[in-house]
């Protein structure tokens, strides 16, 4: 009898403990803080890829013009239970970009991120309804005329207004979004430059006064990024030795205008040009002995994941000269660049959203 009593007491204790644990989870374990979904994935900022022009399913520009686009930034209410109240969240410009620039780059102001508020607008509030844990901040962009030689960042934060019944998340970066915005078109992105080469050249004069062009050893590159200019144009930095770390990079932009064939837009010519006469750019338009660059696009299904499409864009017959006139003060260095650039995009056909379908 004593053993039965002990057994019953033990079972009763376990039942109480189980009931207590279950009741515990019915209550909120944390506070309902508000934050952005903007992980720091690009050296202290959040890389965000936005189409240069937002298109509808029928191909028409969503906002009526090329260069107008938007990005829906998730705003999240944290906690273990569903939000049960209607409330409004304030959104405002963050003042942390200056701090971030100095912490990352110290006195190298030429490498600083630049506030892109002049190209972006967004509502000052976001509404949450009872039962809703995620809302979307609709950020609108006007990319027309943007110079992507600048490192544009949009700094925003959740406004601190406890009277509205919410509080920004106290953990670092959660209630702030530092969006490094990369507008893209069909031709922009990271190109493999392993088959593009660059060499210095100089002119020799023989005894008869005849000039002969001499070219040194060629050096190959690894990658070259194509930045958006407009719907059909991108720019690269010239050669293989100029990138975002050069203080004078904006002087060495090589524009590539893609000119698709009317009946087959997956192939066509590429017009290379420069808007800086000091760079002494010479391409096919200036010298017909140089080859006419062309492009081609083809797609291939992944062998293992058939829903994944590999889209390749190849720029062939690149051939141009340019002068680096600022690397060594008072001295000009002439280069010739030749070869091919290849870009690959992986597209998940199971995802209808254009931004998310591309695996950047």
């Amino acid at each position: 009898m004593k053993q039965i009593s002990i057994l019953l007491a033990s079972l009763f204790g376990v039942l109480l403990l189980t009931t207590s644990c279950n009741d515990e989870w019915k209550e909120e374990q944390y506070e309902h803080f508000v934050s952005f979904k903007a992980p720091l994935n690009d050296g202290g900022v959040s890389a965000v890829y936005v189409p240069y022009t937002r298109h509808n399913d029928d191909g028409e520009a969503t906002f009526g013009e090329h260069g107008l686009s938007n990005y829906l930034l998730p705003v999240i209410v944290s906690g273990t239970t569903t939000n049960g109240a209607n409330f409004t969240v304030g959104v405002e410009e963050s003042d942390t970009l200056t701090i971030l620039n100095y912490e990352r780059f110290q006195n190298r102001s030429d490498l600083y991120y630049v506030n892109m508020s002049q190209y972006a607008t967004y509502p000052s509030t976001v509404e949450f309804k009872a039962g809703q844990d995620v809302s979307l901040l609709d950020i609108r962009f006007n990319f027309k005329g943007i110079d992507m030689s600048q490192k544009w960042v949009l700094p925003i934060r959740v406004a601190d207004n406890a009277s509205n019944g919410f509080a920004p998340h106290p953990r670092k970066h959660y209630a702030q979004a530092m969006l490094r915005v990369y507008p893209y078109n069909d031709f922009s992105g990271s190109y493999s430059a392993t088959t593009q080469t660059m060499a210095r050249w100089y002119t020799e004069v023989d005894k008869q006064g005849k000039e002969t062009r001499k070219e040194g050893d060629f050096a190959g590159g690894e990658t070259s990024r194509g930045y958006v200019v407009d719907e059909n144009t991108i720019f690269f930095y010239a050669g293989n030795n100029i990138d975002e770390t050069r203080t004078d990079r904006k002087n060495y932009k090589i524009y590539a205008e893609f000119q698709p064939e009317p009946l087959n837009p997956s192939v066509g010519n590429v017009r290379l040009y420069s808007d800086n006469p000091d760079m002494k750019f010479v391409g096919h338009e200036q010298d017909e002995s140089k080859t006419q660059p062309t492009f081609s696009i083809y797609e291939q299904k992944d062998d293992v994941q058939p829903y994944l499409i590999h889209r390749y864009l190849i720029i062939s017959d690149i051939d141009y000269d340019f002068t680096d006139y600022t690397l060594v003060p008072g001295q000009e260095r002439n280069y010739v660049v030749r070869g091919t650039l290849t870009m690959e995009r992986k597209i998940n056909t199971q995802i209808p959203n254009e931004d998310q379908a591309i695996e950047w």
Side-chain angles (χ1 to χ4, degrees):
M1 189 68 180
K2 184 178 180 180
Q3 291 179 344
I4 294 175
S5 299
I6 294 173
L7 179 61
L8 289 174
S10 299
L11 290 173
F12 184 69
V14 171
L15 182 61
L16 285 176
L17 181 61
T18 304
T19 303
S20 176
C21 288
N22 287 338
D23 289 340
E24 227 174 59
W25 289 104
K26 293 180 181 178
E27 302 297 329
E28 176 60 58
Q29 302 300 302
Y30 306 98
E31 293 189 53
H32 277 158
F33 291 121
V34 179
S35 61
F36 295 115
K37 185 179 180 181
L40 304 181
N41 56 13
D42 189 19
V45 293
S46 302
V48 172
Y49 294 87
V50 183
Y52 177 79
T53 302
R54 178 70 68 185
H55 292 97
N56 299 325
D57 293 338
D58 60 4
E60 294 296 319
T62 302
F63 303 110
E65 298 179 41
H66 290 305
L68 303 184
S69 192
N70 75 321
Y71 178 75
L72 299 177
L73 177 65
V75 187
I76 303 170
V77 179
S78 63
T80 58
T81 61
T82 302
N83 164 49
N86 299 330
F87 64 93
T88 302
V89 173
V91 179
E92 62 187 11
E93 182 174 326
S94 172
D95 58 359
T96 58
L97 189 57
T98 302
I99 299 172
L100 173 65
N101 277 329
Y102 187 77
E103 287 182 348
R104 284 210 62 197
F105 306 111
Q106 298 297 309
N107 294 321
R108 285 292 306 274
S109 58
D110 52 287
L111 300 179
Y112 280 11
Y113 296 121
V114 181
N115 191 323
M116 72 172 306
S117 295
Q118 60 181 302
Y119 295 103
T121 58
Y122 48 86
S124 59
T125 59
V126 177
E127 301 294 329
F128 279 86
K129 303 295 184 183
Q132 181 184 13
D133 291 324
V134 179
S135 190
L136 298 173
L137 178 67
D138 188 2
I139 305 174
R140 300 291 179 91
F141 293 100
N142 184 343
F143 292 126
K144 290 183 290 186
I146 192 169
D147 180 4
M148 289 304 295
S149 66
Q150 300 281 9
K151 298 159 62 176
W152 299 107
V153 168
L154 182 65
I156 57 178
R157 67 184 176 191
V158 178
D160 190 0
N161 189 348
S163 63
N164 281 351
F166 75 91
H169 203 294
R171 296 193 65 177
K172 190 177 182 181
H173 305 308
Y174 279 46
Q176 301 206 41
M178 308 293 286
L179 304 180
R180 174 79 193 273
V181 180
Y182 293 101
Y184 68 89
N185 59 20
D186 291 339
F187 312 104
S188 62
S190 182
Y191 284 77
S192 170
T194 53
T195 53
Q196 176 181 265
T197 55
M198 181 176 76
R200 286 191 65 182
W201 65 265
Y202 57 95
T203 302
E204 279 190 352
V205 181
D206 60 19
K207 295 180 179 179
Q208 287 74 37
K210 181 180 179 180
E211 294 185 351
T212 304
R213 172 167 162 162
K214 298 290 185 179
E215 295 179 359
D217 295 332
F218 281 84
E222 295 183 359
T223 60
S224 183
R225 191 180 191 105
Y227 299 87
V228 160
V229 176
D230 58 36
E231 193 73 3
N232 293 305
T233 308
I234 62 176
F235 77 82
F236 302 97
Y237 292 118
N240 302 322
N241 62 345
I242 299 175
D243 56 24
E244 282 191 342
T245 63
R246 279 279 293 260
T247 61
D248 53 357
R249 58 188 178 274
K250 66 180 181 180
N251 298 324
Y252 295 97
K253 292 187 286 188
I254 304 295
Y255 296 92
E257 178 187 348
F258 291 79
Q259 302 169 336
E261 292 185 2
L263 300 180
N264 184 8
S266 62
V267 297
N269 289 333
V270 180
R271 177 187 171 228
L272 299 181
Y273 65 95
S274 168
D275 59 1
N276 179 13
D278 294 332
M279 195 170 63
K280 299 179 181 178
F281 174 86
V282 177
H284 177 71
E285 287 189 355
Q286 294 76 29
D287 183 352
E288 292 186 355
S289 67
K290 291 186 172 296
T291 55
Q292 167 66 63
T294 60
F295 79 92
S296 59
I297 300 174
Y298 71 94
E299 296 181 350
Q300 179 179 330
K301 286 187 176 181
D302 191 273
D303 293 334
V304 179
Q305 301 167 299
Y307 61 85
L308 198 64
I309 298 294
H310 299 264
R311 179 176 294 168
Y312 298 96
L313 191 157
I314 303 172
I315 306 175
S316 305
D317 298 323
I318 295 171
D319 186 1
Y320 65 87
D321 296 348
F322 78 96
T323 298
D324 189 336
Y325 62 96
T326 56
L327 180 63
V328 180
Q331 181 180 346
E332 293 186 347
R333 296 190 172 199
N334 300 317
Y335 294 95
V336 57
V337 180
R338 297 189 183 118
T340 301
L341 292 173
T342 303
M343 179 183 70
E344 176 190 5
R345 278 187 185 170
K346 296 179 182 179
I347 303 172
N348 189 334
T349 58
Q350 295 180 328
I351 301 177
N353 185 283
E354 177 187 6
D355 305 34
Q356 299 174 16
I358 302 174
E359 297 185 1
W360 296 104

